[in-house]
Amino acid sequence: MTVHFRRAGSGEPLVLVHGIGHRHQAWEPVFDRLTAHHDVIALDLPGFGNSPVPGTGMPADMAATVAGVLPVLTGWGLTRPHVAGYSLGGAIALELAAAGAVASATALSPAGFFTPAERRRALAILRMLRANSYLPTPIMRVALRSAYLRALCFAPLMARPTLLDVERALGDALALRRGRGFNAVARAARDYRFDCHRLSDPAVPVTVGWGDRDRIFGVHQAERVRAGLPAARVVTLPRCGHVPMSDDPDLVAALILETTGAVPRGDRPDPSVAV
């Protein structure tokens, strides 16, 4: 399986996994902060970004997705790397932790803690965003030069969408349009729920961060993580949306590095006590 990736830095390996319809560039706001401490690999999942759909087709469910990721990690010479992901990538991070395949897992707004109605709503929003991305590219480029329209288009994904520059916004829109794996992943999500009973190893540090302005899943789902994964650290990310790396790069990078053990937990107030 061919997987496109960006790799830089040195130290213990850290793999970054994006969400449905996105690309590895989602991690750019925190990438350099992480490479100061780790050998960082940000990948494009199969069927997204510059990674093609596998010759055997897209995985039919989460188990097959994880089964496909594991040999990629092995091919890179990685043995139990640290992993961080958001949305779909957050679920993959937790699944890898449950499989004992990683040294730590940081999951940002992970999929798998929604009700069926919440899942349908989230996919409806994402499908709407994808439909909008089929506007002619020159029209999108002109429209996204407007900070107001940029905010309108990306508000479902982030709390401060005007922080995106025009080229980044256009690139993300095109990635959503061109993501050939989108429909297959959306179908696979219909029956997916994360099985909290599988993640009981206290030796694997797990942190779940949830933006308090997440309009895709909703921060209330963090309470289900607290109930199902009492050993995990669950943190509310203030003034952050579903893709929090752009909203607060310092906070997200610190959360990941604290989970990997690269830096000690800071003295800043931990907002995990309340959602």
Side-chain angles (χ1 to χ4, degrees), residues 41-53:
I41 305 172
L43 60 83
D44 285 336
L45 288 168
F48 298 102
N50 288 326
S51 294
V53 172

Side-chain angles (χ1 to χ4, degrees), residues 32-275:
D32 290 343
R33 292 169 171 84
L34 300 176
T35 58
H37 301 271
H38 287 283
D39 170 17
V40 180
I41 305 172
L43 60 83
D44 285 336
L45 288 168
F48 298 102
N50 288 326
S51 294
V53 172
T56 55
M58 290 294 294
D61 53 28
M62 182 60 74
T65 298
V66 174
V69 169
L70 288 172
V72 172
L73 302 183
T74 302
W76 288 333
L78 305 183
T79 302
R80 299 188 77 243
H82 301 281
V83 64
Y86 66 93
S87 196
L88 167 66
I92 292 173
L94 293 178
E95 292 287 349
L96 289 170
V102 295
S104 75
T106 306
L108 307 170
S109 296
F113 294 90
F114 36 53
T115 65
E118 289 166 346
R119 183 201 66 238
R120 289 192 295 271
R121 176 184 174 277
L123 287 174
I125 294 172
L126 293 171
R127 287 191 176 106
M128 177 195 68
L129 294 175
R130 190 169 192 239
N132 291 339
S133 74
Y134 280 88
L135 289 169
T137 301
I139 292 177
M140 282 201 300
R141 184 183 295 276
V142 172
L144 291 172
R145 288 174 184 163
S146 162
Y148 171 78
L149 290 177
R150 215 157 56 242
L152 188 66
C153 292
F154 287 88
L157 298 175
M158 51 195 66
R160 289 180 272 184
T162 54
L163 295 178
L164 288 175
D165 61 39
V166 175
E167 291 305 315
R168 170 80 181 281
L170 180 62
D172 283 353
L174 293 175
L176 185 56
R177 176 204 294 180
R178 296 167 180 167
R180 295 177 60 195
F182 184 93
N183 289 330
V185 171
R187 285 193 299 270
R190 291 174 183 170
D191 299 318
Y192 178 65
R193 289 280 293 176
F194 182 75
D195 182 0
C196 295
H197 295 96
R198 296 179 55 242
L199 187 54
S200 59
D201 184 358
V204 178
V206 172
T207 297
V208 176
W210 220 295
D212 65 357
R213 301 183 187 181
D214 186 341
R215 298 184 181 182
I216 299 295
F217 288 158
V219 67
H220 64 280
Q221 293 184 30
E223 291 296 343
R224 297 170 192 158
V225 181
R226 288 193 176 92
L229 301 175
R233 180 188 181 197
V234 183
V235 178
T236 305
L237 307 178
R239 298 176 299 280
C240 288
H242 188 64
V243 186
M245 295 82 72
S246 294
D247 290 324
D248 196 333
D250 288 333
L251 176 59
V252 172
L255 200 67
I256 295 171
L257 294 173
E258 289 169 3
T259 307
T260 67
V263 301
R265 286 179 59 165
D267 295 330
R268 55 184 168 76
D270 188 343
S272 63
V273 297
V275 173

